[in-house]
Amino acid sequence: MNREKRREIFERLRAATPHPTTELNYSSPFELLVAVILSAQATDVGVNKATAKLFPVANTPQAILDLGEDRLKEYIKTIGLYNSKAKNIIATCRILLEEHDGEVPDRREKLEALPGVGRKTANVVLNTAFGQPTMAVDTHIFRVSNRTGIAKGKTVLEVEKKLLRHVPREFLHDAHHWLILHGRYTCIARKPRCGSCIIEDLCEYKEKTES
């Protein structure tokens, strides 16, 4: 895929959704961090239901530590892997208080040192909370990038690096949100909705559908 085609793809995605953002509900970097930790192998809808009850009660590292692991589990028990996630969130809160004055760090290496925070989670926080041009490659972005030809790769890291290299700079900040939304609602896994896709003529997928 050439540079002109990539630019046109992101111009169309931007025109359709000028101000994309995560579908996770949050009001601070810490709330976003907790929500993203919870979102692993879970839906944003499910996470939002849990945090809608949790955050009014505890939405700071100290408040969640005061809540304790057992009571935290009660708020997030509807989410998959809630036992390990509760343990990681408690440990993360402790580190944030002891090493970062209770604030979420804005550097990758410090984020990835937190329990339950991998590269993808760090990328989401860096991009969404701190405005850094990162690519949080999840299953949707991996699929869309490979299927369309925007950035083909065999691994998540390979796709991430190619996106950072090939996406025109003016689109970098919002690109991962556009790709997630496109993968979630149009370029879906089992049967992409090519017939109603705004970038169908630019996409290089060979097995397009009519719907």
Side-chain angles (χ1 to χ4, degrees):
M1 180 173 285
N2 60 38
R3 183 182 302 177
E4 289 73 23
K5 194 179 282 189
R6 287 191 184 93
R7 173 170 289 280
E8 178 64 23
I9 284 174
F10 284 102
E11 283 182 350
R12 291 187 192 180
L13 293 175
R14 179 173 65 184
T17 312
H19 305 292
T21 188
T22 178
E23 294 186 318
L24 292 169
N25 295 330
Y26 73 99
S27 60
S28 70
F30 177 71
E31 287 189 0
L32 177 64
L33 175 62
V34 171
V36 179
I37 291 173
L38 291 174
S39 72
Q41 299 182 45
T43 65
D44 288 357
V45 171
V47 173
N48 287 337
K49 286 181 179 178
T51 56
K53 296 178 181 178
L54 171 64
F55 288 157
V57 175
N59 68 342
T60 66
Q62 188 62 60
I64 285 185
L65 275 184
D66 291 343
L67 195 65
E69 188 173 330
D70 289 340
R71 290 179 63 199
L72 175 59
K73 287 179 184 179
E74 289 298 310
Y75 286 97
I76 65 171
K77 64 184 179 182
T78 55
I79 297 174
L81 307 175
Y82 74 93
N83 283 311
S84 61
K85 289 175 182 179
K87 183 177 181 179
N88 285 334
I89 289 170
I90 290 293
T92 284
C93 288
R94 190 169 288 113
I95 292 172
L96 290 177
L97 287 166
E98 292 175 353
E99 300 181 15
H100 303 290
D101 297 320
E103 299 295 325
V104 175
D106 60 358
R107 290 168 55 188
R108 174 184 303 283
E109 64 273 16
K110 293 187 181 298
L111 282 168
E112 291 186 11
L114 299 171
V117 178
R119 186 177 183 88
K120 185 180 78 173
T121 297
N123 280 337
V124 172
V125 174
L126 290 171
N127 178 272
T128 306
F130 299 113
Q132 297 183 24
T134 61
M135 287 288 171
V137 179
D138 66 352
T139 55
H140 296 301
I141 293 182
F142 187 80
R143 178 176 67 254
V144 171
S145 297
N146 275 288
R147 188 182 271 170
T148 61
I150 292 172
K152 290 187 175 182
K154 294 182 179 179
T155 67
V156 167
L157 185 57
E158 186 180 355
V159 169
E160 178 187 328
K161 289 182 176 180
K162 284 189 176 180
L163 284 170
L164 289 171
R165 187 163 69 247
H166 293 310
V167 173
R169 189 155 195 84
E170 69 180 279
F171 303 109
L172 268 180
H173 179 265
D174 293 322
H176 99 263
H177 292 303
W178 285 318
L179 294 174
I180 286 174
L181 293 172
H182 193 66
R184 188 171 285 170
Y185 299 111
T186 303
C187 195
I188 56 180
R190 291 187 178 180
K191 189 178 180 182
R193 296 167 179 155
C194 301
S196 58
C197 175
I198 61 173
I199 62 169
E200 180 186 9
D201 58 315
L202 301 169
C203 170
E204 297 181 354
Y205 184 51
K206 295 179 180 179
E207 300 174 28
K208 291 178 181 172
T209 65
E210 294 181 0
S211 58

